[in-house]
Amino acid sequence: LFRSRFSTGSVVPPVATAVCSRGGTQIRFVIMAFYQLGCLVLLSSAVLTLGQSSATDVTTPPPKTADELDAEALALQEKGLKDAKIEYKKGAWLYGDYMQINQITSAVECHNLCQADAVCSHWNYHGVGGDRCDLKKGSTGGFNEDAGDWLSGDIAGRLESLPSGGDL
């Protein structure tokens, strides 16, 4: 197709151009194509133009670390639980695994799933790096307070109504 339309050394009009600018600095990208020795050749170029800085330029803060983003996500989940007046604590129940549900977007939703399930007595929510909700059953089991990236809670009244002897 190109052989029939362009001769050797012919330049094809720009394939794509883009201009990005911020705070007086501008970068222009151009992608060109030409036909040379039987081959279509693509070239790209970028031109950087530095503008005058002004007193109104805003300094961009450095990107947040993964730990900072995780702490913000956890604080947002805690706020949701407090706003919904749901009792919780940081940490995770270790035993009584009943059901794991992924792609749960909030600790409140995890609590509500547990509350709607007649067997569920505890819940764990891991909103950092996975959005995972673990539903737990039973009245015995350990609790890991060092799991600070988990939020957990109990369903009021469920523990007292379980048969004696621990887990269902």
Side-chain angles (χ1 to χ4, degrees):
L1 174 68
F2 285 104
R3 239 178 243 199
S4 63
R5 294 183 62 198
F6 301 102
S7 61
T8 298
S10 294
V11 176
V12 179
V15 175
T17 62
V19 176
C20 301
S21 58
R22 181 176 181 152
T25 302
Q26 184 180 59
I27 301 175
R28 178 186 169 122
F29 299 94
V30 178
I31 299 174
M32 302 280 295
F34 67 92
Y35 190 74
Q36 185 70 40
L37 299 174
C39 296
L40 180 64
V41 179
L42 296 175
L43 296 175
S44 65
S45 67
V47 177
L48 174 65
T49 306
L50 298 175
Q52 297 289 330
S53 64
S54 67
T56 59
D57 283 348
V58 177
T59 303
T60 304
K64 293 182 180 180
T65 66
D67 288 342
E68 290 171 327
L69 292 172
D70 289 349
E72 285 180 9
L74 198 61
L76 185 63
Q77 293 299 328
E78 287 186 88
K79 181 182 181 325
L81 289 165
K82 288 175 186 173
D83 290 349
K85 298 182 180 5
I86 297 172
E87 290 187 32
Y88 72 95
K89 54 188 167 185
K90 284 188 178 180
W93 290 104
L94 301 176
Y95 303 105
D97 292 340
Y98 169 57
M99 187 182 309
Q100 178 180 316
I101 307 165
N102 295 318
Q103 305 304 317
I104 301 299
T105 59
S106 75
V108 171
E109 183 180 0
C110 184
H111 165 269
N112 291 343
L113 287 169
C114 186
Q115 189 171 39
D117 187 304
V119 176
C120 184
S121 57
H122 312 290
W123 54 270
N124 292 336
Y125 178 74
H126 193 242
V128 176
D131 297 331
R132 176 176 144 187
C133 177
D134 292 340
L135 303 184
K136 305 285 187 165
K137 65 179 181 175
S139 61
T140 61
F143 188 80
N144 182 359
E145 293 176 354
D146 294 331
D149 55 343
W150 286 82
L151 300 173
S152 301
D154 304 315
I155 301 303
R158 295 269 170 91
L159 298 178
E160 295 81 18
S161 64
L162 291 174
S164 62
D167 293 340
L168 294 173

